[in-house]
Amino acid sequence: MVVVVMADNASGNGGGKRQPSRPSRRSLLKTASVGAAGLTAGCLGGLSGGDSGVNKITIGGLSPLSGPYSISGERQKIAMEMAVDHAIEAGDTTAEVELLMADTESTPSAAQANAQQHLDDGADFIAGNISSAVAMALGELAQRRDVIFMGGAGDLTITSEKCMSNTFILSDGAVQQTNAALGHALRNDMGSSVFEITVDYSWGESIRGYNKETLIPEHNAEYAGNVFTPLGTSDFSQSLTEAKESGADIINITQYGGDQIRALSQADEFGLMDGDTIITVPSTTVAFAQQVGMDTFSYENLYGGVAYSWKLDTPENNSFVSDFKERSGGKIPLSYTPAYYCGLRMMLRTIEETGSTDSATLRGELEGKSIYPQIWNQGERIRECDHRATAPTMTIQGLPPAEADVENGDIFDIVSVPEQLEQYMRPCEETGCTMS
Amino acid sequence: MIHTELPTVVAQSVSYYFTQTFNGLVLGMILVLIALGLSIIFGMMGIINFAHGDLLLVGAYVAWATVGVTGSLLAGLVVAPLVVAVLGVAFERVGLRRIYGENVLLQVLLTFGLAEFLRAGVEAVWGPGGKNFAIPDWGTGSVDLVLFSYPTYRLFVISLSAVLILGIHLFLTRTDFGLIVRAGTQDRQMVDALGIDISWVFMVVFAIGTALAGVAGALIGPIRGAYPTLGIELLVPAFVVIVIGGIGSFRGTVISGILIGELIVLTGVVYSPAANVIIYVFMAVVLLVKPHGLFGEEGVFH
């Protein structure tokens, strides 16, 4: 059964004291309901919240439905819709729930404009997204409008000095990701020099910075060089030629979405996938491989980090996968699909428990809370210090072509899972996050 | 974004420089194919076809679909330009023909509208996520070119583009129809006055120009994949190619296309963040020195 953390309830009751922000009619209405509802939550503290005081919840959903991350975005949307239905079926919420969905277009400006629109349309909180740059823009908006943002971002900035009290990050972070991919290769002595091809924005910068300053020196490996490529790069021939020329044992390709597909398939063209070179990708998902076909992904020299795999054998995950497949017409959930499912279910339940959509009340309740449902089944929770989920990033290895089943999304095996949840997360005191 | 690292010039092997030069040549050849189509249409008809990039996009997706059905990229390389040319001709007959000689703004609106329409159509049929088709079996691996080895499929792209460019050149310079096209680009009214049905010539020119976009789309598909913004990405540098080469100049377009391809790739070798900006800087410099482009004063298709 899910543990509901009530330790912060006192601060939850004090939720009437809002962060300084421009008052709006809506936020005043919300504040009025906090006092009584907070009390209810304190008594019941569980699933059958009863008269929660919130009759209608509007969710401002945002997903990259076009652009390089649309493969993930489409499934994220399905998962969010499923979360709402399941929350209602399970009685997690008694309110009427409306899920608004909009495209982030993977650009901060478009995402922020669409999120504004959601909030103007009455959204109580915003949720979704994958891109780090977008997450920052949405986090800032959530802070300004004083609503909760349940999001995802691999970039560490959003959970470092620039962390924001209303932002909760459900995806894994750069350090976890690169420790699962490049870290695995280095720990297992697969090579002693590393060349990188890095996407030129905050997430890529985060990973490269950590690799160059920490991970690679820690293993006494040589840093053979790096090429930055703009997001949406379609021709990697120049950077791959450079990587090959460097003679590095390991090529770390920090690219995601369509860029990753192109980088890997072009690496294959340049003969990098079937030689002795080890290729690592900090974050990947099955869908990329499904698009590319087994020719490019099914190489045993390919290691990657995944925040999640449908192959994960836990009771909650098995039922999540089968429900998702049923709803999506046989599609499998991708790396960041369950994060948003859990995010919405948690939020709906927390609103029911606290009887409030007020950000301060919810924040007090969400900090340290166990993620619900427990898809990873390792007691994963949201850290109080930086608001990042502790779900582990696992290491995967490409299956040999003969064993791979691209159609069913079976193209890699989980080869390693961190032994402790926070093994490859930065310790709280190193994040620099003060929740200002 | 802050880049604290300065570009490092490290002595690299001969094979490295050859490979990078060929990388630039692949991009350059594709740009030449796109720019030639644009240039022929502009030279003859005075139309700046903003839909050219998205006609290429349709070519890429049609090639992908053809590979899916037949399993052969060669079939895709035939079907894609045909389908795109048919689309182009239909557009010319139904839309463009009505606005010849009208305000240039109408052309811009109409071709821009078609571009949006095509892209929306592609997304509606094939989804927004993009499709990847594998390099055909005969194109996998590398060819040993003594000093260096280079991916087979990319060599094929260079070769086929060269053959097509030569073919277009011969068509324009050695056939009666080519003569009419060249005459038409010099003086449209005179050709009309000589009793040649210019309307029919326009249609054929538009078909050839758009077919080139279709071929380019099919050729680049296995390298980059097909995704909704592919066309726009390539259209912008293709415009730069035409402006630098000199509008309407065949030789200028070919030389400028290869130059731009090399410039993008080789700039990336030295300092990657500058790769996408350098062509605009180069264009500005060329226009300051030669306002009509490198070969702009030569007239058209000589």
Side-chain angles (χ1 to χ4, degrees):
Chain A
M1 205 54 198
V2 179
V3 183
V4 181
V5 180
M6 300 302 296
D8 286 293
N9 217 32
S11 69
N13 281 333
K17 289 178 212 138
R18 301 173 61 83
Q19 297 278 311
S21 74
R22 224 176 41 215
S24 68
R25 188 185 57 86
R26 218 163 44 78
S27 62
L28 285 173
L29 280 174
K30 281 193 298 189
T31 317
S33 70
V34 169
L39 215 79
T40 318
C43 299
L44 297 171
L47 294 167
S48 51
D51 181 18
S52 70
V54 179
N55 298 320
K56 183 169 185 217
I57 302 168
T58 305
I59 304 164
L62 295 145
S63 211
L65 298 172
S66 64
Y69 300 161
S70 58
I71 312 159
S72 300
E74 285 161 33
R75 292 185 205 194
Q76 190 180 97
K77 179 170 176 270
I78 297 170
M80 287 166 77
E81 289 161 357
M82 191 164 95
V84 172
D85 289 349
H86 284 186
I88 293 168
E89 280 164 30
D92 289 353
T93 179
T94 50
E96 181 194 337
V97 183
E98 186 186 7
L99 174 63
L100 310 170
M101 281 303 300
D103 190 0
T104 65
E105 298 169 32
S106 281
T107 58
S109 54
Q112 214 177 37
N114 285 331
Q116 294 262 23
Q117 189 59 52
H118 280 341
L119 294 174
D120 292 341
D121 291 343
D124 296 299
F125 64 96
I126 50 178
N129 167 59
I130 286 167
S131 156
S132 299
V134 169
M136 208 52 158
L138 292 178
E140 283 161 9
L141 176 73
Q143 210 67 13
R144 229 170 26 242
R145 299 284 293 257
D146 201 15
V147 292
I148 296 288
F149 167 47
M150 269 280 168
D155 174 26
L156 297 175
T157 317
I158 201 162
T159 45
S160 299
E161 286 87 355
K162 288 186 180 170
C163 67
M164 291 168 274
S165 57
N166 285 344
T167 295
F168 292 83
I169 298 296
L170 291 157
S171 67
D172 54 357
V175 170
Q176 288 166 289
Q177 293 165 349
T178 194
N179 262 301
L182 178 60
H184 179 84
L186 291 172
R187 281 192 297 277
N188 292 282
D189 297 323
M190 293 180 194
S192 60
S193 55
V194 183
F195 190 94
E196 299 197 85
I197 300 175
T198 309
V199 63
D200 193 357
Y201 79 104
S202 45
W203 174 67
E205 293 269 350
S206 262
I207 291 201
R208 198 196 74 107
Y210 178 81
N211 287 349
K212 193 179 180 194
E213 307 302 329
T214 310
L215 189 61
I216 295 171
E218 246 175 33
H219 290 87
N220 298 318
E222 181 203 343
Y223 197 81
N226 172 60
V227 177
F228 277 114
T229 58
L231 179 62
T233 290
S234 43
D235 189 357
F236 287 92
S237 60
Q238 180 251 318
S239 37
L240 287 166
T241 304
E242 211 153 312
K244 197 174 178 178
E245 176 69 12
S246 77
D249 303 329
I250 304 169
I251 299 174
N252 182 50
I253 300 181
T254 306
Q255 307 281 343
Y256 195 75
D259 294 13
Q260 189 181 97
I261 300 174
R262 285 187 288 276
L264 290 176
S265 64
Q266 291 172 23
D268 189 23
E269 261 191 274
F270 280 85
L272 287 165
M273 300 302 286
D274 49 8
D276 297 329
T277 316
I278 296 292
I279 307 284
T280 54
V281 287
S283 178
T284 192
T285 137
V286 177
F288 303 166
Q290 280 186 318
Q291 271 210 330
V292 174
M294 65 171 72
D295 286 334
T296 305
F297 224 91
S298 305
Y299 284 101
E300 289 168 278
N301 67 331
L302 179 64
Y303 292 87
V306 290
Y308 162 84
S309 164
W310 62 273
K311 286 174 121 175
L312 193 66
D313 188 17
T314 67
E316 288 289 3
N317 187 48
N318 292 338
S319 76
F320 171 73
V321 172
S322 77
D323 288 348
F324 187 87
K325 275 186 169 172
E326 196 179 316
R327 182 179 268 261
S328 65
K331 287 178 183 157
I332 46 165
L334 307 174
S335 286
Y336 297 112
T337 314
Y340 300 95
Y341 172 81
C342 297
L344 277 199
R345 289 207 60 179
M346 263 178 90
M347 271 302 276
L348 291 174
R349 191 153 133 158
T350 309
I351 291 172
E352 182 78 9
E353 284 166 4
T354 60
S356 171
T357 55
D358 173 71
S359 64
T361 312
L362 293 171
R363 186 164 63 236
E365 185 64 27
L366 286 168
E367 284 180 345
K369 196 178 179 80
S370 288
I371 291 174
Y372 163 75
Q374 285 271 300
I375 280 187
W376 290 264
N377 204 25
Q378 292 200 49
E380 59 272 11
R381 61 187 182 89
I382 290 182
R383 293 211 297 196
E384 281 148 28
C385 65
D386 62 353
H387 288 189
R388 195 179 271 283
T390 61
T393 307
M394 303 168 267
T395 307
I396 55 96
Q397 180 183 13
L399 284 172
E403 290 172 33
D405 177 359
V406 178
E407 208 170 303
N408 292 311
D410 193 3
I411 39 100
F412 49 62
D413 267 338
I414 299 171
V415 292
S416 164
V417 182
E419 280 162 24
Q420 294 123 31
L421 277 180
E422 296 187 51
Q423 192 175 5
Y424 296 120
M425 289 181 85
R426 292 174 307 170
C428 273
E429 56 277 14
E430 280 178 26
T431 60
C433 168
T434 52
M435 286 299 161
S436 55
Chain B
M1 205 123 303
I2 304 157
H3 291 272
T4 45
E5 278 174 283
L6 288 169
T8 46
V9 182
V10 185
Q12 308 275 9
S13 63
V14 175
S15 76
Y16 171 77
Y17 288 110
F18 269 108
T19 310
Q20 293 292 26
T21 308
F22 268 62
N23 290 338
L25 194 57
V26 172
L27 178 58
M29 286 304 218
I30 293 286
L31 288 177
V32 171
L33 287 184
I34 303 165
L36 268 187
L38 272 174
S39 188
I40 291 172
I41 290 168
F42 178 79
M44 181 75 198
M45 306 158 74
I47 297 277
I48 301 170
N49 183 18
F50 283 102
H52 207 70
D54 289 289
L55 285 162
L56 175 148
L57 180 70
V58 172
Y61 274 95
V62 168
W64 177 83
T66 310
V67 171
V69 174
T70 64
S72 159
L73 181 69
L74 295 178
L77 281 166
V78 174
V79 175
L82 283 177
V83 170
V84 174
V86 167
L87 268 176
V89 166
F91 175 63
E92 197 272 335
R93 291 284 95 174
V94 177
L96 275 183
R97 201 166 56 140
R98 296 165 197 273
I99 57 160
Y100 288 138
E102 300 276 342
N103 190 333
V104 74
L105 200 61
L106 275 179
Q107 296 175 9
V108 174
L109 284 175
L110 193 63
T111 56
F112 222 88
L114 176 67
E116 295 291 328
F117 179 79
L118 288 175
R119 203 171 330 121
V122 163
E123 287 197 29
V125 176
W126 287 288
K131 301 286 179 194
N132 270 74
F133 37 104
I135 305 270
D137 287 340
W138 49 262
T140 54
S142 296
V143 177
D144 190 359
L145 299 170
V146 188
L147 282 174
F148 69 112
S149 65
Y150 200 70
T152 313
Y153 182 74
R154 287 179 190 245
L155 286 173
F156 171 74
V157 170
I158 296 173
S159 316
L160 184 65
S161 304
V163 169
L164 286 171
I165 293 163
L166 189 67
I168 295 285
H169 183 69
L170 291 177
F171 174 75
L172 288 172
T173 53
R174 302 286 166 86
T175 63
D176 288 348
F177 189 84
L179 192 67
I180 296 169
V181 172
R182 285 188 294 144
T185 51
Q186 293 278 350
D187 191 336
R188 210 178 309 165
Q189 279 165 328
M190 181 56 86
V191 174
D192 223 1
L194 288 171
I196 293 162
D197 182 3
I198 200 89
S199 152
W200 184 76
V201 178
F202 275 12
M203 192 183 79
V204 176
V205 165
F206 208 76
I208 294 171
T210 49
L212 279 173
V215 171
L219 265 181
I220 204 154
I223 294 180
R224 295 193 176 189
Y227 49 95
T229 53
L230 177 69
I232 312 163
E233 271 170 27
L234 288 165
L235 184 65
V236 178
F239 274 128
V240 174
V241 166
I242 294 173
V243 172
I244 289 176
I247 291 166
S249 162
F250 190 98
R251 190 165 57 156
T253 304
V254 175
I255 292 174
S256 155
I258 294 170
L259 207 61
I260 291 297
E262 294 293 355
L263 196 62
I264 293 174
V265 170
L266 296 180
T267 304
V269 168
V270 181
Y271 187 55
S272 55
N276 288 329
V277 189
I278 192 76
I279 59 169
Y280 304 103
V281 176
F282 184 64
M283 180 169 73
V285 172
V286 168
L287 291 183
L288 280 175
V289 180
K290 297 198 78 168
H292 297 287
L294 294 176
F295 297 86
E297 286 162 336
E298 273 188 37
V300 183
F301 301 130
H302 285 254

